[in-house]
Amino acid sequence: MSKPTTGTLKVPGATLHYEKRGSGPVLLLIPGGAADAGLYEGMAADLATRYTVVSYDPRGLSRSPLDGPLTDQRVEVWSDDAHRLLELLSPDRDACVLGSSSGAIVALDLLARHPERLRRVVAHEPPLLEVLDDPAPHRALFAEVRETFREQGAGPAMARFSEGLGGRPAERATELPPEIQEMASRMHANLPVFLEHMLCPFSSTAPDIPALRRASHRLLLAVGRDSRDQQPLYGPATRLAELLPAKVEEFPGGHVGCTEHPKEFAKQLLTALADA
């Protein structure tokens, strides 16, 4: 697979590293959790047959350094970053966006605030706990994971996270296929940022339901076929689909289906984008 071209974009408070491949309309891929642009490496070549595929390292992660000290991260700031990337790389036409996990929270905020810039947004398992009927136990779990990180470090925190989400072994939750092994060490280094400064602030964000309702025809909410028993991951998307209303669709794999089944995930994503 050909290497992407890389670039940087100076944004307020940070410098973003981005990667671009293919041609056609822009498809912006927003990673989640401790991941960076490499999260989508297994899908990028297939997606680039129809789109200019843009992936990037969010601020404070991997190759996108902050100008100042690390503090709790804010969804609207990350959404501004994504919007600036679109202004740079797709200035004259609307774009498509895929966001995964916390990246899906960013994608939804981007859609709420800049619907005219977007043709289609696919939000895969945004852990927006506040839309659930009873967010309290899940909020408590996420806070416990953060506290475990503070007291014991990233390894025990991620193990507690995996256990709390349904008992999947910790090593399964962070297992990466060969195409994106290069990201593994960067992702490990990013875990403190995610656990201390993203997990709780992002998951406690309340989405702008009225704005999303107005743009719901541009939105596809995606869930993982293997996530059905993981309420804080699967539940918010299905609840949003009822509230807006919007379409919801099951994709291959679980919360990180784009790395577990990249070919199948890419094929379904291309079909969903073509239907927009």
Side-chain angles (χ1 to χ4, degrees):
M1 184 170 63
S2 61
K3 286 283 187 184
T5 59
T6 62
T8 59
L9 173 63
K10 185 72 187 76
V11 295
T15 301
L16 302 179
H17 166 94
Y18 67 87
E19 303 178 355
K20 186 174 70 161
R21 49 162 63 89
S23 59
V26 164
L27 168 58
L28 180 67
L29 306 177
I30 307 177
D36 60 28
L39 180 71
Y40 299 107
E41 193 66 24
M43 301 198 305
D46 290 342
L47 299 176
T49 60
R50 299 192 204 172
Y51 292 92
T52 298
V53 178
V54 178
S55 54
Y56 68 105
D57 299 354
R59 62 169 58 219
L61 300 180
S62 299
R63 299 154 294 189
S64 292
L66 298 172
D67 294 346
L70 178 64
T71 57
D72 279 0
Q73 297 299 290
R74 292 163 49 203
V75 172
E76 64 269 25
V77 174
W78 284 39
S79 174
D80 286 342
D81 289 346
H83 183 246
R84 286 185 170 93
L85 278 167
L86 291 180
E87 291 290 285
L88 173 70
L89 299 170
S90 185
D92 301 320
R93 63 188 300 187
D94 54 8
C96 294
V97 174
L98 166 69
S100 182
S101 189
S102 53
I105 296 176
V106 176
L108 288 169
D109 189 73
L110 182 65
L111 177 61
R113 295 166 64 200
H114 301 285
E116 75 289 344
R117 293 294 282 112
L118 305 169
R119 183 166 66 86
R120 187 65 145 179
V121 169
V122 179
H124 185 268
E125 297 200 347
L128 287 163
L129 302 182
E130 300 308 311
V131 305
L132 296 173
D133 289 336
D134 184 14
H138 310 298
R139 205 188 290 132
L141 168 65
F142 285 23
E144 183 187 344
V145 169
R146 182 174 60 182
E147 195 58 34
T148 302
F149 165 69
R150 289 171 176 173
E151 294 178 355
Q152 301 176 45
M158 291 304 292
R160 177 67 190 100
F161 201 20
S162 296
E163 178 191 13
L165 290 174
R168 292 180 71 181
E171 62 271 15
R172 173 76 190 278
T174 54
E175 187 178 300
L176 298 172
E179 310 91 66
I180 58 172
Q181 277 296 335
E182 187 183 325
M183 186 185 67
S185 60
R186 300 195 306 263
M187 185 172 172
H188 183 75
N190 291 336
L191 280 173
V193 183
F194 167 65
L195 292 166
E196 177 65 45
H197 297 291
M198 291 173 58
L199 177 62
C200 291
F202 274 56
S203 62
S204 63
T205 300
D208 186 340
I209 297 296
L212 289 174
R213 190 170 285 137
R214 290 191 294 272
S216 63
H217 59 289
R218 303 176 194 266
L219 175 62
L220 175 66
L221 291 153
V223 287
R225 202 163 291 134
D226 300 337
S227 303
R228 291 174 186 168
D229 297 330
Q230 297 179 309
Q231 180 64 6
L233 306 180
Y234 193 99
T238 55
R239 180 67 181 130
L240 276 173
E242 296 168 0
L243 286 171
L244 294 177
K247 287 201 273 187
V248 63
E249 195 173 297
E250 277 195 338
F251 274 65
H255 194 55
V256 285
C258 61
T259 68
E260 295 168 331
H261 304 285
K263 289 282 186 186
E264 297 90 339
F265 197 105
K267 182 178 179 182
Q268 189 165 339
L269 177 62
L270 287 171
T271 299
L273 296 177
D275 290 343

